[in-house]
Amino acid sequence: MKKEKMILLLLLAIFGWRQPVQAAVGENKIVVLTDTHVMAPELLVSEGDAWTNYLDKERKLVDYSQELFDVMINSIKSEIQPDLVLITGDLSKDGEKASHNYVVSKLDELKVAGIPTLVIPGNHDRGANGNAVYYNGAGTTPAETADDDWFASRYANYGYGTDSERESTTLTYACEPIAGLVVIGIDSGTDGNISATTLAWVCEKAIEARSKGKRVIAMMHHPLIEHVTNSSMLVSTVSVVNSDEVRNALANAGVKVIFTGHFHTSDIAKDYNDEMTKEIFDVNTGSLISYPCDYRLVTLSNDLYDLSLTTEHISSVPSKTEFGTYAKDRLHASIKKIVKQKAEAKLGDLAPYMTSIIEPTSQNVADAYIIHAEGNENDVDTESIFDNLSVAFLAMDGTKNMCESMLHDLTPYGTERENRTNDLTLTTELPATVKLASDGYSTYCAERALDMTKSEGLEAYIVKNITDTKVVLQSVSKIPAEEGFILKGTEDAVYDLFTTTDATDDVTENQLHGTLSTTAAPANTFVLSTQGGNSGFFPVKTGLTIPAHKAYLTISGGMARELFFDDVTGIDDAVRQKRLIGSAWYNLQGQKVEKPSKGVYINNGKMVIIK
């Protein structure tokens, strides 16, 4: 041993050694943020009445938008260092090219740092807009705004490049930023309207990805569902148009998690397809420039099964001490003012005589909104907020229902569905998928133990025994990790595969070899396939590539083997015999022969000599 190494070991023994703290191995980190509404600094030529009047009517912290975005970008680069960043729309204040250019300049910093970013446009990101202006003292002048083509070109490195597949009519796209994870960015337009053509394309891409064993998540600007009853009183277009249809289509296509924005508060809701057989989570994230300035941290396990989410927020900026308190007070005042103005407009000439009702109502609605914005509102004592509210007044415009929905996490999509009460965290599973062949069979091997009882219509088998002519299959329901097995179901169908932590079946007799990665076939390899309309195990050449998550047999000899179902499966002999491949003729090399002539053949499991 070298002298230097001996000294090092001696020092470690005397002073001890502590391994450096490292990030968890085998996890993918994703940052999700939305509604950044960045205003380029050059848009404020000089302060004056025009700028002051705009801010007086604005509930967002637009005057801090650039600084908040800078803080977020710096945190992503230096602290979080994720594998992917998703921004779900309203990147710019009002679609100004100058603001988009500033956003792209900061995203370029992430690109240089090796952190990929994907964006999708929101309703404030394109087209002529009366608020897309330069502020110069008492007046304004129009600012040039982005259109679809310019947006796609400017964000070519952030979802609209050659690595993505575009839908032809909108800024909707699909790409694979993390191996095995397909992200579909849905353009919900300026009014939340997703055309039938776009929706069909999205579902096609989701189904296509899942048929290849990939996981799928989606993002769009407008929420998938209405998170708060009567929330249109505060925010226009509170969900996508025809939300029931969109929800059902996405869930049926296998989209389980979709990230959205627009509403400016963080809220997670769980819904289902119409048959309530497939669930979907709408993870609606608050605006980066509205208290509490939220963003999401998503962790996806390396094998892509486990998705967990936490919520973080920006509470300080360099230019403002106690920024969190300031942002909260400013949002409260803004919501109170909005409610008061709406009440006065509705009451008209009666408003001056209703001050005793309007004032506490607007105060209480603002209180409720702040509690809702902070999330997990069911954990807070909110009953006192309703004490001073006039039921008669609230019943007229639905404000009471809106407040109750915000405070009790009540949503309008049905009491039989499971509402979310924790808006700040989420833990769920993105199930693996398998597509069966045209004969309704496939082999599979998973990193995790699987519970086949959760996959409706799908049966699983191990190879219990191998004879000269048959492989004997035995039914299993809970399969250990890294174990090869056979699946049987509907031809060409895609099935979800769900993990389990329960005790698994005894599969010690299983003859199948599973693959978790692409594998070169060893000698005497047989794979499950269909030849001449018959399903069985057929020999393949040594070295042939066997895909990941498949299974194979190694059998001495070159003859094909038929599938034989063990009696424990409950399949009667008549049905079972229809599945045998022995009725066909094979030569001694295992090759099917349509018209046997002279020679030695295998037929119906027996050796036959034709003279």
Side-chain angles (χ1 to χ4, degrees):
M1 184 180 294
K2 293 184 178 180
K3 181 178 180 181
E4 292 83 355
K5 188 174 182 179
M6 291 180 64
I7 294 174
L8 176 60
L9 292 175
L10 179 60
L11 290 172
L12 292 174
I14 294 173
F15 296 106
W17 178 72
R18 181 175 297 171
Q19 186 171 348
V21 177
Q22 296 180 344
V25 177
E27 292 182 338
N28 301 284
K29 290 192 297 183
I30 304 173
V31 170
V32 180
L33 58 147
T34 189
D35 293 81
T36 55
H37 290 281
V38 174
M39 175 180 166
E42 60 263 37
L43 293 179
L44 182 56
V45 179
S46 65
E47 295 191 19
D49 289 344
W51 178 237
T52 301
N53 292 337
Y54 169 77
L55 290 179
D56 187 55
K57 300 175 183 178
E58 181 56 59
R59 67 188 175 100
K60 301 186 295 291
L61 298 166
V62 176
D63 42 334
Y64 288 90
S65 62
Q66 176 204 337
E67 190 173 13
L68 284 163
F69 194 63
D70 289 352
V71 168
M72 185 76 252
I73 294 297
N74 290 334
S75 178
I76 291 172
K77 287 192 304 181
S78 60
E79 299 173 17
I80 305 173
Q81 298 180 343
D83 301 282
L84 178 65
V85 175
L86 304 178
I87 308 180
T88 67
D90 279 0
L91 297 98
S92 64
K93 171 181 167 290
D94 283 291
E96 311 91 352
K97 287 185 177 181
S99 297
H100 282 303
N101 286 334
Y102 188 87
V103 171
V104 170
S105 72
K106 303 305 289 186
L107 299 187
D108 287 345
E109 295 181 15
L110 298 184
K111 186 174 183 294
V112 170
I115 301 173
T117 302
L118 299 175
V119 307
I120 200 74
N123 57 298
H124 280 263
D125 284 327
R126 295 163 291 176
N129 190 307
N131 288 325
V133 296
Y134 289 90
Y135 297 91
N136 191 357
T140 63
T141 55
E144 190 176 6
T145 56
D147 58 19
D148 280 14
D149 291 339
W150 188 92
F151 186 95
S153 175
R154 197 68 185 93
Y155 289 95
N157 292 324
Y158 306 107
Y160 294 94
T162 57
D163 292 338
S164 295
E165 185 175 359
R166 279 274 304 278
E167 191 264 328
S168 60
T169 64
T170 67
L171 292 179
T172 299
Y173 64 89
C175 62
E176 190 175 346
I178 296 174
L181 177 68
V182 172
V183 177
I184 302 179
I186 305 172
D187 179 7
S188 54
T190 58
D191 56 0
N193 192 10
I194 302 173
S195 70
T197 299
T198 299
L199 184 59
W201 187 91
V202 169
C203 293
E204 177 187 340
K205 293 305 159 187
I207 293 170
E208 177 184 310
R210 295 178 74 250
S211 70
K212 298 176 181 178
K214 302 178 187 295
R215 309 305 202 276
V216 177
I217 60 175
M219 64 174 180
M220 65 182 176
H221 183 62
H222 294 87
L224 179 64
I225 60 175
E226 184 178 352
H227 286 254
V228 176
T229 304
N230 295 332
S231 51
S232 57
M233 295 173 58
L234 292 178
V235 179
S236 62
T237 321
V238 296
S239 66
V240 291
V241 178
N242 298 324
S243 57
D244 288 348
E245 176 186 345
V246 176
R247 165 192 49 76
N248 184 58
L250 292 179
N252 281 332
V255 177
K256 188 173 182 180
V257 176
I258 182 166
F259 297 100
T260 62
H262 186 60
F263 196 66
H264 288 208
T265 57
S266 293
D267 192 87
I268 302 176
K270 178 182 180 180
D271 205 342
Y272 298 84
N273 61 348
D274 289 347
E275 296 75 25
M276 295 189 70
T277 56
K278 292 188 176 182
E279 61 187 18
I280 184 167
F281 290 93
D282 181 4
V283 180
N284 190 237
T285 301
S287 168
L288 193 68
I289 67 165
S290 294
Y291 176 81
C293 306
D294 284 342
Y295 61 95
R296 309 283 198 176
L297 290 182
V298 179
T299 300
L300 194 58
S301 60
N302 194 46
D303 58 14
L304 306 182
Y305 277 99
D306 301 323
L307 184 148
S308 60
L309 174 149
T310 59
T311 305
E312 305 293 335
H313 59 271
I314 296 177
S315 58
S316 63
V317 295
S319 68
K320 189 77 173 179
T321 59
E322 299 183 354
F323 175 77
T325 301
Y326 168 79
K328 180 177 181 177
D329 292 343
R330 185 161 152 180
L331 178 61
H332 186 281
S334 177
I335 297 298
K336 181 178 178 180
K337 183 176 181 179
I338 291 172
V339 175
K340 186 175 180 180
Q341 289 174 341
K342 289 180 178 292
E344 291 173 343
K346 183 171 184 177
L347 292 169
D349 293 340
L350 294 176
Y353 306 99
M354 303 288 285
T355 303
S356 60
I357 293 177
I358 296 174
E359 185 63 29
T361 296
S362 57
Q363 172 72 29
N364 292 162
V365 172
D367 290 345
Y369 192 88
I370 291 295
I371 292 173
H372 175 70
E374 291 174 341
N376 288 349
E377 51 271 22
N378 271 5
D379 296 336
V380 181
D381 181 10
T382 58
E383 295 305 318
S384 61
I385 291 179
F386 295 104
D387 289 348
N388 298 321
L389 293 180
S390 168
V391 176
F393 172 73
L394 293 175
M396 286 192 297
D397 64 1
T399 305
K400 186 173 188 295
N401 290 336
M402 182 182 67
C403 288
E404 287 179 335
S405 180
M406 286 192 296
L407 296 174
H408 299 309
D409 209 9
L410 302 176
T411 49
Y413 54 83
T415 55
E416 75 279 6
R417 302 181 185 276
E418 181 183 342
N419 298 336
R420 290 288 301 175
T421 56
N422 188 332
D423 302 314
L424 304 182
T425 63
L426 173 66
T427 299
T428 189
E429 178 180 313
L430 299 182
T433 56
V434 60
K435 182 178 182 180
L436 302 189
S438 57
D439 63 352
Y441 291 98
S442 180
T443 62
Y444 199 79
C445 178
E447 294 90 347
R448 310 278 189 96
L450 299 179
D451 184 353
M452 302 310 303
T453 64
K454 296 179 181 178
S455 301
E456 185 176 355
L458 192 61
E459 301 170 8
Y461 303 90
I462 60 170
V463 173
K464 179 180 179 181
N465 191 23
I466 303 174
T467 70
D468 289 341
T469 58
K470 300 181 179 70
V471 292
V472 182
L473 307 183
Q474 178 176 314
S475 176
V476 289
S477 59
K478 295 184 178 180
I479 305 166
E482 303 182 15
E483 194 75 34
F485 56 96
I486 296 173
L487 292 169
K488 177 184 176 297
T490 302
E491 296 85 349
D492 295 314
V494 177
Y495 288 89
D496 289 336
L497 301 176
F498 298 94
T499 64
T500 182
T501 56
D502 296 342
T504 54
D505 296 348
D506 181 1
V507 294
T508 53
E509 295 181 306
N510 189 18
Q511 304 294 305
L512 283 163
H513 305 282
T515 65
L516 294 180
S517 58
T518 302
T519 304
N524 302 317
T525 290
F526 283 62
V527 297
L528 180 64
S529 63
T530 299
Q531 295 188 14
N534 299 302
S535 301
F537 277 86
F538 296 84
V540 297
K541 294 180 180 180
T542 301
L544 179 76
T545 297
I546 299 177
H549 302 114
K550 292 292 183 180
Y552 63 92
L553 295 173
T554 53
I555 310 172
S556 298
M559 189 178 67
R561 263 69 169 180
E562 62 191 358
L563 298 180
F564 182 88
F565 291 83
D566 198 350
D567 290 336
V568 298
T569 64
I571 301 175
D572 61 42
D573 287 342
V575 175
R576 182 168 59 201
Q577 290 302 321
K578 290 181 181 179
R579 295 186 177 126
L580 302 183
I581 64 171
S583 57
W585 291 83
Y586 296 88
N587 60 27
L588 295 182
Q589 287 72 46
Q591 299 168 323
K592 187 179 179 183
V593 179
E594 295 295 335
K595 295 181 179 181
S597 55
K598 292 181 180 181
V600 181
Y601 299 91
I602 301 297
N603 177 257
N604 202 27
K606 297 180 180 180
M607 182 178 293
V608 179
I609 301 176
I610 299 178
K611 296 182 180 179

